[in-house]
Amino acid sequence: MKYFSTRDASVRVSAAEAIATGLAPDGGLFVPESIPHIGAQDIEELRLLDYRGRAARIMGMYLDDFTGDELELFCRRAYSDNFDTPETAPLRIIDGGTAVLELWHGPTCAFKDMALQMLPHLLTASLRKCGEKRGVCILVATSGDTGKAALEGFADVEGTRIVVFYPRDGVSDVQKLQMTTQTGENVLVSAIAGNFDDAQTGVKRIFGDRDFAARLDESGWFLSSANSINWGRLLPQIAYYVSAYCDMINAGKIANGGRINFCVPTGNFGNILAGWYAKQMGLPVARFVCASNSNNVLTDFINTGTYDRNRQFHCTISPSMDILVSSNLERLLYACCGSDSEVAGYMASLAKEGRYTVSDGLIDRIRADFSAGFCSDGETRAEIADMFAKGYLMDPHTAVAWKVLRGYRAATGDTTPSVVVSTASPFKFCDSVLAALGEDTGAPGTELIGRLAERTGVSAPKPLATLAGRAVRFDGCIDRSDMERLVGDFLR
Ligand SMILES: *Cc1c(COP(=O)(O)O)cnc(C)c1O
């Protein structure tokens, strides 16, 4: 199966090339030229497998330049005792018609592990298949979750190095400690004096510096990114939607063939888009509910057809969804309109004016699969408290989705069995969760982990519970102008 660019359908590459290069040369995103199909018989077989088996089968349908043995090996390595449950992505039935898909049992306690534990295997194999002899250095600017998940994924992976920059004042105590205590011989972490935008801009500048690339090339290295525009990050996420469907059958909530809804807390649109691909494959999904916080660009887009980033940016208690430009939306636009020139036009308008309006036909097709809603921080806190009283502790991102699903059901009367996608452990956002439960939060982040465990009787995930005792390896903070030099020295 070939992949082509959302901005120029004549650019065709193999799966390995799409993963090895990440972004298409014209700035577009790679998409598969056709969508493989799964039917009721496939589901019947998949539901008897464990998560690894399911993931290997699903990924294999898109990666015909990889063997089944290779993919099974990758899955055994990516999803093993680095997760704190043998189920990898367990489905918890909460009430009669609602379940939660917990995607945060991996080493960094957020859903990005589902893809970033897999990506290093896919990427290093893709580079081998493409005959790449140089080593790859992954460069990341992070506002928190992605940096740590990428570090855990790439730590001590042969032929790779990883450098992560985070804003000195822009991440939580826990997030910072997660990164600065990272182990591995091939990792480098540094704070920069500035905010997330400064880190991001600095990284983009390094990627764009051709002289620097030429010097790295001489010493046998090239730079790559681990962000969610890479197909190798999206693909592993398709598997858990299929897996959740299998588990809904296994739990007796639906018959094979019965339809379900998914409600997904959304930022960059990567997670929910993977679900939509699963539906395109034939998974019986009725509707995706796209949940946002007060940065409700996507809610407005789905409801009006106009995407408009010209608005105030809100810092919320669900920070991983504080995003005004959802880059993966481009893949959905392309799939629903089928015209690379139309998509290129929307993206040019977004770059120039910060907004675009899609055709009526296009927004109707999107609305056939997606509904959208958002909620405030106050509503999110109330939802956390209410659900805890009913016996389930959730993080703020998951609580946004839970609230938005309730609103959707009330407005539409839709009673389809539904899965809320849970993207982080509540212990990753202790201060907000404790505050929602009416507790005082005036203490260092690592102390709050113990406090939340005491208050709720739920035990903290081990990677977070043991954080306070770990040695800090990276306490440096550099100026933005020194980022390139730091990377150059690290790769010498
Ligand atoms: C990254 C992230 C999201 C948003 O996912 P997208 O794929 O960017 O839409 C939601 N919740 C958490 C906890 C995250 O880390």
Side-chain angles (χ1 to χ4, degrees):
M1 183 189 300
K2 294 285 187 195
Y3 288 75
F4 60 84
S5 164
T6 48
R7 295 192 199 172
D8 179 358
S10 69
V11 178
R12 266 164 213 259
V13 301
S14 68
E17 282 173 275
I19 293 170
T21 42
L23 199 64
D26 55 20
L29 309 187
F30 283 117
V31 290
E33 64 179 355
S34 64
I35 304 287
H37 188 261
I38 45 170
Q41 185 53 43
D42 297 297
I43 297 290
E44 213 38 54
E45 291 165 20
L46 285 165
R47 78 188 186 92
L48 303 176
L49 303 179
D50 65 3
Y51 189 79
R52 287 173 283 274
R54 292 172 183 170
R57 280 276 298 276
I58 300 297
M59 293 201 308
M61 297 178 182
Y62 286 90
L63 301 175
D64 49 13
D65 39 357
F66 290 69
T67 67
D69 284 351
E70 266 181 308
L71 292 172
E72 273 171 32
L73 177 67
F74 297 167
C75 286
R76 280 202 302 279
R77 289 186 174 156
Y79 307 125
S80 63
D81 55 11
N82 48 345
F83 280 69
D84 67 9
T85 161
E87 298 163 275
T88 308
L91 187 79
R92 306 263 180 249
I93 306 295
I94 303 293
D95 61 33
T98 323
V100 170
L101 175 63
E102 294 181 347
L103 299 179
W104 41 261
H105 289 275
T108 78
C109 310
F111 99 97
K112 291 182 175 68
D113 288 332
M114 298 302 298
L116 280 164
Q117 287 294 302
M118 174 58 69
L119 180 65
H121 301 291
L122 292 176
L123 181 63
T124 49
S126 295
L127 293 171
R128 252 195 328 273
K129 287 176 198 292
C130 295
E132 179 60 66
K133 298 280 187 305
R134 297 170 298 174
V136 58
C137 177
I138 305 293
L139 211 52
V140 184
T142 186
S143 56
D145 287 343
T146 306
K148 176 61 181 178
L151 284 165
E152 276 296 327
F154 281 94
D156 288 330
V157 173
E158 209 179 306
T160 75
R161 297 222 181 143
I162 174 164
V163 182
V164 171
F165 293 107
Y166 68 92
R168 182 180 53 191
D169 304 316
V171 302
S172 75
D173 292 349
V174 168
Q175 286 175 321
K176 179 175 168 183
L177 208 53
Q178 275 189 305
M179 290 188 278
T180 57
T181 58
Q182 177 66 46
T183 58
E185 290 307 308
N186 64 337
V187 309
L188 180 65
V189 176
S190 176
I192 67 144
N195 59 23
F196 172 63
D197 266 343
D198 296 323
Q200 176 105 312
T201 310
V203 162
K204 281 195 181 147
R205 210 177 37 222
I206 300 176
F207 273 121
D209 184 339
R210 288 178 183 224
D211 292 340
F212 187 60
R215 267 184 287 144
L216 292 186
D217 182 66
E218 274 169 28
S219 33
W221 289 99
F222 73 102
L223 299 174
S224 184
S225 130
N227 67 26
S228 66
I229 54 180
N230 191 315
W231 180 250
R233 246 190 88 175
L234 203 60
L235 177 59
Q237 299 179 171
I238 298 176
Y240 52 72
Y241 285 91
V242 178
S243 179
Y245 186 84
C246 292
D247 287 336
M248 284 292 273
I249 301 175
N250 289 349
K253 292 292 158 192
I254 49 167
N256 189 356
R259 303 223 289 174
I260 63 172
N261 289 342
F262 283 99
C263 182
V264 187
T266 297
N268 221 353
F269 211 76
N271 193 356
I272 197 168
L273 181 70
W276 184 81
Y277 275 113
K279 177 175 179 175
Q280 299 316 106
M281 293 174 75
L283 193 72
V285 180
R287 194 148 271 286
F288 292 95
V289 181
C290 174
S292 301
N293 59 30
S294 21
N295 295 295
N296 56 354
V297 193
L298 287 165
T299 315
D300 287 349
F301 172 65
I302 290 170
N303 291 335
T304 67
T306 295
Y307 193 100
D308 190 350
R309 65 162 299 181
N310 304 306
R311 61 179 72 209
Q312 199 193 335
F313 177 82
H314 300 279
C315 289
T316 73
I317 59 168
S318 45
S320 303
M321 294 151 72
D322 292 347
I323 286 180
L324 291 183
V325 177
S326 301
S327 25
N328 269 299
L329 188 60
E330 184 173 343
R331 282 194 172 100
L332 180 71
L333 296 181
Y334 180 80
C336 290
C337 80
S339 160
D340 51 0
S341 58
E342 188 175 330
V343 172
Y346 297 144
M347 292 305 121
S349 164
L350 180 65
K352 193 153 162 264
E353 285 145 33
R355 68 199 297 276
Y356 58 87
T357 300
V358 299
S359 70
D360 289 350
L362 177 48
I363 197 64
D364 285 348
R365 273 192 296 281
I366 291 174
R367 284 192 200 127
D369 287 332
F370 292 91
S371 295
F374 73 100
C375 75
S376 68
D377 277 356
E379 290 171 308
T380 307
R381 285 191 203 97
E383 213 62 26
I384 293 172
D386 183 55
M387 282 309 291
F388 178 65
K390 291 176 177 153
Y392 188 73
L393 183 65
M394 49 177 60
D395 98 290
H397 303 78
T398 310
V400 165
W402 190 272
K403 167 73 184 168
V404 168
L405 176 67
R406 287 208 303 123
Y408 164 79
R409 282 173 162 168
T412 60
D414 186 347
T415 54
T416 308
S418 298
V419 174
V420 168
V421 176
S422 175
T423 50
S425 158
F427 286 90
K428 209 160 177 183
F429 299 94
C430 289
D431 48 353
S432 304
V433 175
L434 277 167
L437 300 179
E439 298 292 316
D440 175 28
T441 59
T446 47
E447 223 166 273
L448 296 182
I449 293 174
R451 247 194 239 174
L452 182 60
E454 250 168 61
R455 168 70 172 80
T456 60
V458 178
S459 46
K462 208 163 143 221
L464 294 178
T466 57
L467 202 53
R470 300 244 198 98
V472 170
R473 296 181 65 205
F474 305 100
D475 54 4
C477 179
I478 60 167
D479 210 65
R480 217 171 59 165
S481 55
D482 280 336
M483 290 166 69
E484 188 170 282
R485 189 188 47 74
L486 194 74
V487 176
D489 288 350
F490 184 54
L491 297 178
R492 220 198 298 279

